[in-house]
Amino acid sequence: MKLALASLLASSASAFGPSTSPPSAHARKPLRGFWKLNPQTKEEALTFASGIASAITDSTPDVDVALFVPYVFIESTMSVVGGKLSVGAEGVVPHSSGAYTGGISTSMIKSVGVDWVLAGHSERREIFGETDYYINAQCLKILDEGMSVMLCIGESLAEFEADLAGSVCATQLKKGLKGVRKEDLDRVAIAYEPVWAIGTGEVATPEIAQSVHAKCRDILAGMYDQETANMIRILYGGSVTPDSIDDLMAMPDIDGALVGGASLDIKNFGMNWVKS
Ligand code: PGA
Protein backbone atom coordinates (compact mmCIF):
# COMPACT_ATOMS: atom_id res chain seq x y z
CA MET A 1 0.00 0.00 0.00
CA LYS A 2 1.30 3.38 -0.88
CA LEU A 3 1.56 5.96 1.83
CA ALA A 4 1.00 9.47 0.70
CA LEU A 5 2.84 11.81 2.99
CA ALA A 6 2.63 15.56 2.37
CA SER A 7 2.24 18.93 4.50
CA LEU A 8 2.58 22.69 5.10
CA LEU A 9 4.97 24.51 7.36
CA ALA A 10 3.23 27.83 7.72
CA SER A 11 -0.44 28.37 8.04
CA SER A 12 -2.25 28.02 4.79
CA ALA A 13 -3.70 31.47 5.12
CA SER A 14 -0.36 33.23 5.24
CA ALA A 15 1.10 30.85 2.72
CA PHE A 16 -1.53 31.63 0.16
CA GLY A 17 -2.14 35.27 0.89
CA PRO A 18 -3.06 37.42 -2.06
CA SER A 19 -0.08 38.67 -4.00
CA THR A 20 0.36 41.37 -6.55
CA SER A 21 3.77 40.01 -7.41
CA PRO A 22 4.57 39.61 -11.08
CA PRO A 23 5.08 36.04 -12.21
CA SER A 24 8.78 36.19 -11.47
CA ALA A 25 10.73 33.23 -10.13
CA HIS A 26 9.10 32.04 -6.95
CA ALA A 27 7.08 35.09 -6.18
CA ARG A 28 4.89 32.36 -4.76
CA LYS A 29 6.13 30.77 -1.56
CA PRO A 30 7.55 27.36 -2.49
CA LEU A 31 5.46 24.42 -1.46
CA ARG A 32 7.01 21.00 -1.09
CA GLY A 33 4.79 18.02 -0.97
CA PHE A 34 6.13 14.67 0.04
CA TRP A 35 4.19 11.57 -0.60
CA LYS A 36 3.93 7.91 -1.42
CA LEU A 37 6.51 7.04 1.13
CA ASN A 38 5.17 3.56 1.43
CA PRO A 39 5.87 2.65 5.02
CA GLN A 40 3.82 -0.38 5.84
CA THR A 41 3.34 0.29 9.51
CA LYS A 42 2.44 3.10 11.83
CA GLU A 43 5.86 2.82 13.46
CA GLU A 44 7.63 3.39 10.15
CA ALA A 45 5.35 6.28 9.27
CA LEU A 46 6.08 7.96 12.58
CA THR A 47 9.82 7.45 12.28
CA PHE A 48 9.72 9.01 8.87
CA ALA A 49 7.52 11.93 9.87
CA SER A 50 9.76 12.63 12.87
CA GLY A 51 12.80 12.63 10.60
CA ILE A 52 11.23 15.15 8.25
CA ALA A 53 10.15 17.37 11.12
CA SER A 54 13.59 17.31 12.73
CA ALA A 55 15.16 18.40 9.43
CA ILE A 56 13.14 21.59 9.54
CA THR A 57 14.94 24.10 11.72
CA ASP A 58 15.07 27.85 12.19
CA SER A 59 17.58 28.03 9.35
CA THR A 60 15.39 26.14 6.91
CA PRO A 61 14.28 28.37 4.03
CA ASP A 62 10.74 29.60 4.21
CA VAL A 63 8.98 26.79 2.40
CA ASP A 64 5.74 25.02 3.14
CA VAL A 65 5.93 21.29 3.65
CA ALA A 66 2.93 19.03 3.52
CA LEU A 67 2.62 15.38 4.38
CA PHE A 68 -0.37 13.58 2.90
CA VAL A 69 -0.87 10.41 4.88
CA PRO A 70 -3.37 7.55 4.92
CA TYR A 71 -6.29 8.23 7.20
CA VAL A 72 -5.17 5.75 9.84
CA PHE A 73 -1.88 7.58 10.36
CA ILE A 74 -3.16 11.17 10.35
CA GLU A 75 -3.53 11.81 14.05
CA SER A 76 -0.42 9.95 15.15
CA THR A 77 1.62 11.71 12.47
CA MET A 78 0.35 15.06 13.68
CA SER A 79 1.44 14.16 17.17
CA VAL A 80 5.09 13.70 16.19
CA VAL A 81 5.68 16.57 13.78
CA GLY A 82 5.23 19.22 16.42
CA GLY A 83 3.36 21.65 14.22
CA LYS A 84 6.30 21.98 11.82
CA LEU A 85 4.34 20.28 9.10
CA SER A 86 0.78 20.30 8.02
CA VAL A 87 -0.61 16.80 7.75
CA GLY A 88 -3.04 16.25 4.93
CA ALA A 89 -5.30 13.48 3.66
CA GLU A 90 -4.97 11.54 0.42
CA GLY A 91 -8.58 12.00 -0.57
CA VAL A 92 -12.22 12.21 0.41
CA VAL A 93 -15.59 11.21 -0.89
CA PRO A 94 -17.64 14.20 -2.00
CA HIS A 95 -20.55 13.31 0.26
CA SER A 96 -21.45 14.48 3.73
CA SER A 97 -22.99 11.30 5.10
CA GLY A 98 -25.07 8.30 4.17
CA ALA A 99 -24.65 5.02 2.34
CA TYR A 100 -21.05 5.30 1.16
CA THR A 101 -19.43 2.42 3.02
CA GLY A 102 -15.70 2.87 3.42
CA GLY A 103 -15.82 6.53 2.49
CA ILE A 104 -14.22 9.31 4.50
CA SER A 105 -15.95 12.69 4.49
CA THR A 106 -14.49 16.18 4.63
CA SER A 107 -16.07 16.83 8.02
CA MET A 108 -14.46 13.66 9.41
CA ILE A 109 -10.94 14.66 8.43
CA LYS A 110 -11.46 18.31 9.28
CA SER A 111 -12.52 17.26 12.77
CA VAL A 112 -9.09 15.71 13.36
CA GLY A 113 -7.27 18.85 12.20
CA VAL A 114 -6.56 18.24 8.53
CA ASP A 115 -6.00 21.36 6.39
CA TRP A 116 -5.05 19.86 3.05
CA VAL A 117 -6.51 17.15 0.85
CA LEU A 118 -5.34 15.70 -2.45
CA ALA A 119 -7.70 15.29 -5.38
CA GLY A 120 -7.31 14.04 -8.92
CA HIS A 121 -4.14 11.97 -8.66
CA SER A 122 -3.72 9.90 -11.80
CA GLU A 123 -3.84 6.70 -9.77
CA ARG A 124 -7.24 7.70 -8.41
CA ARG A 125 -8.36 8.56 -11.92
CA GLU A 126 -7.06 5.33 -13.47
CA ILE A 127 -7.37 2.70 -10.76
CA PHE A 128 -10.41 3.97 -8.92
CA GLY A 129 -12.19 5.44 -11.92
CA GLU A 130 -12.52 8.93 -10.49
CA THR A 131 -13.78 11.23 -13.23
CA ASP A 132 -13.28 14.96 -13.68
CA TYR A 133 -16.88 15.35 -12.52
CA TYR A 134 -16.24 13.40 -9.32
CA ILE A 135 -12.93 15.19 -8.72
CA ASN A 136 -14.67 18.53 -9.16
CA ALA A 137 -17.23 17.49 -6.54
CA GLN A 138 -14.37 16.59 -4.19
CA CYS A 139 -12.68 19.96 -4.75
CA LEU A 140 -15.89 21.86 -4.06
CA LYS A 141 -16.60 19.85 -0.92
CA ILE A 142 -13.07 20.30 0.42
CA LEU A 143 -13.22 24.05 -0.14
CA ASP A 144 -16.73 24.30 1.28
CA GLU A 145 -15.42 22.64 4.42
CA GLY A 146 -12.79 25.37 4.73
CA MET A 147 -9.83 23.17 3.85
CA SER A 148 -7.35 23.47 1.00
CA VAL A 149 -7.09 21.20 -2.01
CA MET A 150 -4.19 20.12 -4.16
CA LEU A 151 -5.61 19.25 -7.55
CA CYS A 152 -3.42 16.85 -9.53
CA ILE A 153 -3.51 16.95 -13.31
CA GLY A 154 -1.40 15.49 -16.09
CA GLU A 155 -1.32 13.75 -19.43
CA SER A 156 -0.57 10.13 -20.37
CA LEU A 157 2.44 9.12 -22.44
CA ALA A 158 0.32 8.78 -25.57
CA GLU A 159 -1.11 12.23 -25.00
CA PHE A 160 2.35 13.66 -24.39
CA GLU A 161 3.66 12.10 -27.59
CA ALA A 162 0.69 13.54 -29.47
CA ASP A 163 1.57 16.98 -28.11
CA LEU A 164 -1.64 17.08 -26.10
CA ALA A 165 -0.21 17.92 -22.66
CA GLY A 166 -1.55 21.47 -22.75
CA SER A 167 -5.03 20.54 -23.88
CA VAL A 168 -5.32 17.66 -21.40
CA CYS A 169 -4.27 19.94 -18.56
CA ALA A 170 -6.69 22.61 -19.77
CA THR A 171 -9.57 20.14 -19.67
CA GLN A 172 -8.62 18.78 -16.25
CA LEU A 173 -8.19 22.25 -14.81
CA LYS A 174 -11.45 23.60 -16.23
CA LYS A 175 -13.49 20.57 -15.20
CA GLY A 176 -11.75 20.08 -11.87
CA LEU A 177 -12.17 23.69 -10.82
CA LYS A 178 -15.64 24.21 -12.27
CA GLY A 179 -17.63 26.37 -9.90
CA VAL A 180 -14.66 27.17 -7.67
CA ARG A 181 -14.97 30.79 -6.69
CA LYS A 182 -12.10 33.17 -7.23
CA GLU A 183 -12.10 34.07 -3.54
CA ASP A 184 -11.46 30.41 -2.66
CA LEU A 185 -8.41 30.04 -4.88
CA ASP A 186 -6.07 31.02 -2.07
CA ARG A 187 -6.82 27.49 -0.84
CA VAL A 188 -6.04 25.76 -4.12
CA ALA A 189 -2.71 24.42 -5.38
CA ILE A 190 -2.16 22.54 -8.62
CA ALA A 191 0.18 19.58 -9.07
CA TYR A 192 1.21 18.94 -12.67
CA GLU A 193 2.13 15.27 -12.76
CA PRO A 194 2.66 13.79 -16.20
CA VAL A 195 1.51 10.19 -15.90
CA TRP A 196 4.50 9.01 -17.91
CA ALA A 197 6.83 10.42 -15.26
CA ILE A 198 5.16 9.01 -12.16
CA GLY A 199 7.16 6.17 -10.68
CA THR A 200 9.08 5.61 -13.92
CA GLY A 201 12.34 7.41 -13.28
CA GLU A 202 11.57 9.52 -16.35
CA VAL A 203 11.46 12.93 -14.77
CA ALA A 204 10.30 15.66 -17.11
CA THR A 205 13.06 18.03 -18.11
CA PRO A 206 12.84 21.42 -16.42
CA GLU A 207 12.06 22.92 -19.84
CA ILE A 208 9.17 20.55 -20.51
CA ALA A 209 7.77 21.00 -17.03
CA GLN A 210 8.15 24.77 -17.19
CA SER A 211 6.39 24.85 -20.54
CA VAL A 212 3.35 22.97 -19.21
CA HIS A 213 3.32 24.93 -15.96
CA ALA A 214 3.28 28.17 -17.94
CA LYS A 215 0.40 26.83 -20.03
CA CYS A 216 -1.46 25.90 -16.87
CA ARG A 217 -0.97 29.39 -15.52
CA ASP A 218 -2.27 30.84 -18.80
CA ILE A 219 -5.32 28.59 -18.54
CA LEU A 220 -5.92 29.73 -14.98
CA ALA A 221 -5.57 33.34 -16.10
CA GLY A 222 -8.22 32.70 -18.72
CA MET A 223 -10.51 31.06 -16.20
CA TYR A 224 -10.02 33.80 -13.60
CA ASP A 225 -7.53 36.62 -14.20
CA GLN A 226 -3.78 37.04 -14.44
CA GLU A 227 -3.26 38.31 -10.92
CA THR A 228 -5.10 35.33 -9.52
CA ALA A 229 -3.19 32.95 -11.76
CA ASN A 230 0.09 34.47 -10.61
CA MET A 231 -0.81 33.69 -7.00
CA ILE A 232 -1.62 30.00 -7.47
CA ARG A 233 1.17 27.56 -6.74
CA ILE A 234 1.79 24.90 -9.35
CA LEU A 235 3.91 21.95 -8.21
CA TYR A 236 5.65 19.42 -10.40
CA GLY A 237 5.39 15.70 -9.61
CA GLY A 238 6.86 12.65 -11.33
CA SER A 239 10.15 10.93 -10.46
CA VAL A 240 11.56 13.99 -8.70
CA THR A 241 14.80 13.22 -6.85
CA PRO A 242 17.32 15.28 -4.89
CA ASP A 243 19.36 15.37 -8.12
CA SER A 244 16.59 16.91 -10.20
CA ILE A 245 14.72 19.13 -7.79
CA ASP A 246 16.99 22.17 -7.90
CA ASP A 247 16.87 22.49 -11.68
CA LEU A 248 13.11 22.08 -11.63
CA MET A 249 12.69 24.64 -8.87
CA ALA A 250 14.84 27.11 -10.81
CA MET A 251 12.04 27.41 -13.35
CA PRO A 252 9.85 30.47 -12.89
CA ASP A 253 6.51 28.68 -12.89
CA ILE A 254 7.49 25.64 -10.82
CA ASP A 255 6.54 26.37 -7.23
CA GLY A 256 7.26 23.09 -5.50
CA ALA A 257 7.29 19.35 -5.90
CA LEU A 258 5.25 16.32 -5.06
CA VAL A 259 7.70 13.56 -4.32
CA GLY A 260 6.86 9.89 -4.28
CA GLY A 261 9.34 7.05 -4.57
CA ALA A 262 12.49 9.09 -4.01
CA SER A 263 11.24 10.15 -0.64
CA LEU A 264 11.77 6.59 0.58
CA ASP A 265 15.39 7.55 1.10
CA ILE A 266 14.95 8.75 4.63
CA LYS A 267 18.60 9.70 5.04
CA ASN A 268 18.41 12.15 2.15
CA PHE A 269 14.82 13.10 2.60
CA GLY A 270 14.95 15.82 5.20
CA MET A 271 17.67 18.25 4.30
CA ASN A 272 17.80 17.56 0.60
CA TRP A 273 14.16 18.25 0.10
CA VAL A 274 13.65 21.29 2.23
CA LYS A 275 16.97 23.01 1.69
CA SER A 276 15.88 25.48 -0.97
P1 PGA B 1 7.01 9.52 -7.92
O1 PGA B 1 5.47 9.78 -7.59
O2 PGA B 1 7.79 10.65 -7.33
O3 PGA B 1 7.30 8.19 -7.30
O4 PGA B 1 7.13 9.50 -9.41
C1 PGA B 1 4.94 11.05 -7.76
C2 PGA B 1 3.46 11.06 -7.57
O5 PGA B 1 2.77 10.09 -7.85
O6 PGA B 1 2.95 12.09 -7.11
Side-chain angles (χ1 to χ4, degrees):
M1 173 189 165
K2 288 175 174 174
L3 173 69
L5 288 192
S7 84
L8 297 187
L9 255 186
S11 75
S12 56
S14 63
F16 287 95
S19 167
T20 55
S21 304
S24 57
H26 303 152
R28 299 160 290 274
K29 185 176 179 181
L31 172 68
R32 296 293 171 82
F34 302 103
W35 87 308
K36 278 200 292 190
L37 309 181
N38 297 298
Q40 299 300 303
T41 65
K42 174 179 168 181
E43 287 68 31
E44 285 179 274
L46 297 186
T47 299
F48 197 82
S50 303
I52 296 167
S54 64
I56 297 171
T57 66
D58 290 345
S59 57
T60 300
D62 190 21
V63 300
D64 290 337
V65 182
L67 290 175
F68 294 99
V69 309
Y71 304 118
V72 291
F73 298 151
I74 287 175
E75 288 188 274
S76 50
T77 299
M78 284 176 172
S79 73
V80 298
V81 298
K84 288 181 170 181
L85 313 172
S86 180
V87 180
E90 296 181 305
V92 286
V93 296
H95 313 288
S96 300
S97 62
Y100 301 99
T101 301
I104 301 288
S105 72
T106 51
S107 54
M108 289 175 186
I109 56 170
K110 188 179 181 187
S111 74
V112 298
V114 165
D115 293 326
W116 277 87
V117 189
L118 286 176
H121 192 279
S122 65
E123 290 156 12
R124 299 298 307 183
R125 294 175 188 264
E126 288 175 18
I127 301 168
F128 296 94
E130 295 188 2
T131 63
D132 284 315
Y133 177 82
Y134 188 83
I135 292 161
N136 175 239
Q138 292 172 318
C139 290
L140 292 171
K141 199 88 180 71
I142 292 162
L143 293 169
D144 280 353
E145 198 72 56
M147 297 185 291
S148 299
V149 62
M150 185 174 299
L151 172 62
C152 303
I153 60 171
E155 80 286 354
S156 67
L157 179 60
E159 290 164 338
F160 174 74
E161 289 176 342
D163 201 21
L164 293 174
S167 62
V168 168
C169 289
T171 299
Q172 293 180 350
L173 279 175
K174 287 175 185 169
K175 291 187 173 179
L177 296 177
K178 188 175 178 191
V180 172
R181 297 171 306 177
K182 181 177 158 182
E183 58 264 38
D184 289 335
L185 288 170
D186 60 349
R187 292 185 284 116
V188 173
I190 305 299
Y192 166 59
E193 301 200 293
V195 178
W196 49 269
I198 295 176
T200 62
E202 298 282 335
V203 61
T205 64
E207 293 74 22
I208 289 173
Q210 164 59 25
S211 153
V212 181
H213 281 229
K215 280 182 192 155
C216 289
R217 207 172 298 285
D218 283 347
I219 294 158
L220 291 166
M223 291 168 64
Y224 298 95
D225 56 58
Q226 191 66 56
E227 185 181 359
T228 302
N230 290 348
M231 176 195 77
I232 296 174
R233 289 184 286 187
I234 306 176
L235 282 67
Y236 169 79
S239 295
V240 179
T241 66
D243 290 338
S244 57
I245 194 164
D246 286 344
D247 289 342
L248 288 162
M249 287 295 294
M251 294 291 147
D253 285 290
I254 299 180
D255 306 315
L258 265 180
V259 182
S263 56
L264 285 167
D265 182 349
I266 296 179
K267 185 166 167 282
N268 276 326
F269 190 86
M271 289 317 295
N272 282 351
W273 293 111
V274 298
K275 67 183 179 182
S276 58

